[in-house]
């Protein structure tokens, strides 16, 4: 029996969305991510197409997150937090550190 279908979005798309919010603009996100602005725009349009909802209102002079965009941003931050925890776990396991608890019982204490 096949499992659930794969997500229609990528971690990279969520990283770009997070960077736009953090930096305040597409251009700022492009600088922070070391990309050209058109790559950031393309990534956002691909995310909007994959999800089927507009993430930004582009009617004014500056793109602003829509209500749907804000909800996707919040959920995306949760996904990115989980992905970052997985990376930290992999780093820990690669270094050979594993969580352990050692209990020593000494006859000196009653």
């Amino acid at each position: 029996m096949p499992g659930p279908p794969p997500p229609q979005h990528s971690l990279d798309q969520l990283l770009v969305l997070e960077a736009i919010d953090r930096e305040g603009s597409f251009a700022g996100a492009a600088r922070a991510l070391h990309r050209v602005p058109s790559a950031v725009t393309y990534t956002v349009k691909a995310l909007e197409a994959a999800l089927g909802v507009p993430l930004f209102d582009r009617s004014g002079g500056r793109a602003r997150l829509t209500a749907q965009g804000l909800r996707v941003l919040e959920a995306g931050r949760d996904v990115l937090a989980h992905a970052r925890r997985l990376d930290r776990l992999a780093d820990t396991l690669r270094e050979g550190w594993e969580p352990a608890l050692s209990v020593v019982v000494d006859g000196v204490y009653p």
Side-chain angles (χ1 to χ4, degrees), residues 58-83:
R58 295 169 176 86
S59 63
R62 184 176 184 156
R64 297 184 192 277
L65 280 167
T66 62
Q68 298 97 326
L70 286 169
R71 293 190 64 191
V72 169
L73 175 64
E74 290 173 17
R77 283 185 170 143
D78 291 341
V79 170
L80 291 170
H82 284 286

Side-chain angles (χ1 to χ4, degrees), residues 16-96:
V16 168
L17 185 61
E18 181 185 55
I20 293 168
D21 183 63
R22 183 182 61 247
E23 300 298 326
S25 68
F26 281 53
R31 279 190 303 277
L33 296 170
H34 307 289
R35 300 182 188 186
V36 295
S38 60
V40 169
T41 300
Y42 174 82
T43 301
V44 169
K45 286 184 179 184
L47 179 59
E48 288 175 320
L51 298 176
V53 294
L55 302 177
F56 287 91
D57 176 4
R58 295 169 176 86
S59 63
R62 184 176 184 156
R64 297 184 192 277
L65 280 167
T66 62
Q68 298 97 326
L70 286 169
R71 293 190 64 191
V72 169
L73 175 64
E74 290 173 17
R77 283 185 170 143
D78 291 341
V79 170
L80 291 170
H82 284 286
R84 289 173 177 132
R85 279 197 297 276
L86 180 60
D87 287 345
R88 285 192 303 274
L89 173 62
D91 289 344
T92 300
L93 295 174
R94 202 173 25 258
E95 293 170 3

